[in-house]
Amino acid sequence: MTVNARHRRPRARKSTKLALGAAAAGTMVLVPSVANAEPQPTIDQVSAQLNTLYQQEAHADEAYNAAQAAQATLQQQVDGINGQISAEQANMNQTKTRLGGLAAEQYRNGGIDPTLQLMLQANPSTMLTMSATVGRVTANNADTLALLDQQKADLATKAREAAGKMALLDQQVKAAESTKKQFDGDVAKTQALLNSLQAQQRAALLAAQQKQQAAALAAAQAASQAASQHSTSGSSGSSSGSSGSSGSSGSSGSSGSGGSKVAIPSVSGRAAAAVAFAQAQIGKPYIFGATGPGGYDCSGLTQAAWKAAGVAIPRTATAQMQGLPAIPASSAQPGDLVFFYGDSSYVDHVGMYIGNGMVIHAPHPGSSVEIVAVSTMPLVSYARP
């Protein structure tokens, strides 16, 4: 009667499925085939197409992670039901053993009805004793059998329900994987076109990306320094950290996108362990659905970083946003989580804030963990584990 719990993957909730369908339907094909003779799109067009596909890929990744989390929860429920079924089966076996003993006793007595046996007893006191015993045994066994029958029926219903849910979740995960393959194909096509560009064009695209990232980081740091100076001048002799930092004056250099050097405010406590872990992952590849140690997706990185600090947080970006206390941007400190691309009900991306308007994140397929300015992506909210 044990439910087969070998399923390994589930599907995201209904709303996620609909969102995936919308994303798939909205996939644009702006990039022509490399093999044809049509004019190549401009560098800006290629970059825009990549950004669109990467966001869609992030949506598929988030849906896949949600499906896996749902499957893990349901697997625990199924395991619990299987344990209950095993316990009830053991109880039923014990009851059958007791009933078998009574049957054997009746067989040894020639199958005589207990009531008739009582009537044949010569000693009245013995007859009364046997009458009470038989009554109790009969009543107890009847109640036990009725209870176990009901429990067996209830558990069987639960087992069927759990098995049905496992089958549904398995179908949903397969759909999420299918969507992932579709987006992987789209990204591969666009990447192939990028690779087909002339060396000079590729260099121009890379230079433009690095320039944009460096400008964003410089602007974030300048704004943070200005806020810090304003705060220092407003408090007699006190020294405060930059807006969104831990209030510590120490900082260290770290490479961000394109090799730019950025100053990271120091931080203490569990947040320090989380930030240190995230920093140590810089340069590791983005891997769809991964939680390390060889690579990460966005929420896999933030979850692993806080796990290293001894704090358990949800698996997906949306669950992290909804399950952790929200904080205003003005109160953000290193170690806080920053959510992008979405709204208050659903997000596709998350990174770890490290102060000075910067975030460590795992961007998208084909990239690696890096430091970028918060301003380079559409911000939704902040939360603190």
Side-chain angles (χ1 to χ4, degrees):
M1 291 183 61
T2 301
V3 176
N4 188 342
R6 293 180 297 172
H7 298 78
R8 288 288 179 255
R9 301 177 241 136
R11 189 198 308 189
R13 58 187 185 278
K14 184 176 180 181
S15 60
T16 302
K17 177 183 176 184
L18 295 175
L20 276 173
T27 301
M28 297 181 294
V29 185
L30 301 178
V31 181
S33 171
V34 177
N36 62 32
E38 295 178 8
Q40 289 187 340
T42 66
I43 297 299
D44 288 344
Q45 288 174 328
V46 173
S47 181
Q49 177 69 358
L50 275 174
N51 290 337
T52 298
L53 291 169
Y54 286 150
Q55 186 176 344
Q56 291 174 341
E57 183 77 19
H59 194 96
D61 188 21
E62 178 74 359
Y64 184 77
N65 291 337
Q68 287 187 315
Q71 190 271 344
T73 298
L74 187 57
Q75 185 68 61
Q76 292 179 348
Q77 296 175 0
V78 172
D79 291 343
I81 291 174
N82 284 336
Q84 294 176 39
I85 291 175
S86 297
E88 291 304 328
Q89 285 177 331
N91 289 337
M92 290 180 65
N93 290 337
Q94 292 177 1
T95 301
K96 289 179 181 178
T97 300
R98 292 197 301 269
L99 293 176
L102 290 175
E105 181 66 24
Q106 282 198 4
Y107 178 77
R108 286 192 295 270
N109 292 331
I112 301 176
D113 182 84
T115 303
L116 181 59
Q117 290 185 44
L118 291 175
M119 294 175 65
L120 295 176
Q121 292 296 323
N123 189 329
S125 63
T126 301
M127 182 180 72
L128 292 175
T129 301
M130 287 190 64
S131 176
T133 301
V134 170
R136 286 196 302 271
V137 170
T138 302
N140 289 341
N141 285 332
D143 290 344
T144 301
L145 285 174
L147 176 62
L148 290 179
D149 283 344
Q150 182 60 49
Q151 291 175 334
K152 181 180 177 181
D154 291 343
L155 289 174
T157 299
K158 292 179 181 179
R160 286 193 297 270
E161 179 183 1
K165 289 181 179 180
M166 290 293 290
L168 176 61
L169 287 172
D170 186 64
Q171 294 174 6
Q172 291 175 331
V173 164
K174 289 179 180 178
E177 288 180 331
S178 176
T179 304
K180 173 194 177 300
K181 290 180 180 179
Q182 174 186 336
F183 289 136
D184 282 343
D186 290 338
V187 172
K189 291 176 184 178
T190 309
Q191 190 63 52
L193 176 58
L194 232 127
N195 294 338
S196 73
L197 297 175
Q198 297 178 0
Q200 184 177 4
Q201 292 174 306
R202 289 197 298 271
L205 177 60
L206 179 60
Q209 291 173 337
Q210 291 179 342
K211 182 178 180 181
Q212 180 183 17
Q213 184 57 243
L217 288 172
Q221 288 184 303
S224 180
Q225 291 171 0
S228 177
Q229 292 173 358
H230 177 75
S231 176
T232 301
S233 63
S235 58
S236 49
S238 66
S239 174
S240 71
S242 61
S243 172
S245 76
S246 64
S248 211
S249 60
S251 63
S252 63
S254 178
S255 294
S257 178
S260 301
K261 290 292 182 179
V262 297
I264 300 178
S266 62
V267 60
S268 61
R270 288 183 171 179
V275 171
F277 181 93
Q279 283 183 261
Q281 311 314 307
I282 291 175
K284 289 188 177 181
Y286 173 100
I287 300 177
F288 186 96
T291 58
Y296 302 87
D297 64 11
C298 66
S299 57
L301 174 64
T302 53
Q303 184 190 50
W306 273 102
K307 180 180 180 180
V311 179
I313 64 175
R315 171 64 180 95
T316 70
T318 298
Q320 290 174 7
M321 177 183 68
Q322 295 177 343
L324 299 174
I327 58 171
S330 59
S331 300
Q333 298 177 1
D336 292 341
L337 303 187
V338 197
F339 304 96
F340 306 94
Y341 297 106
D343 52 39
S344 60
S345 63
Y346 187 91
V347 290
D348 285 328
H349 194 63
V350 61
M352 177 174 287
Y353 189 69
I354 56 173
N356 290 341
M358 298 174 296
V359 62
I360 295 178
H361 73 146
H364 52 69
S367 67
S368 57
V369 178
E370 64 178 1
I371 295 175
V372 298
V374 173
S375 60
T376 58
M377 295 174 284
L379 173 67
V380 176
S381 63
Y382 289 78
R384 178 165 298 158

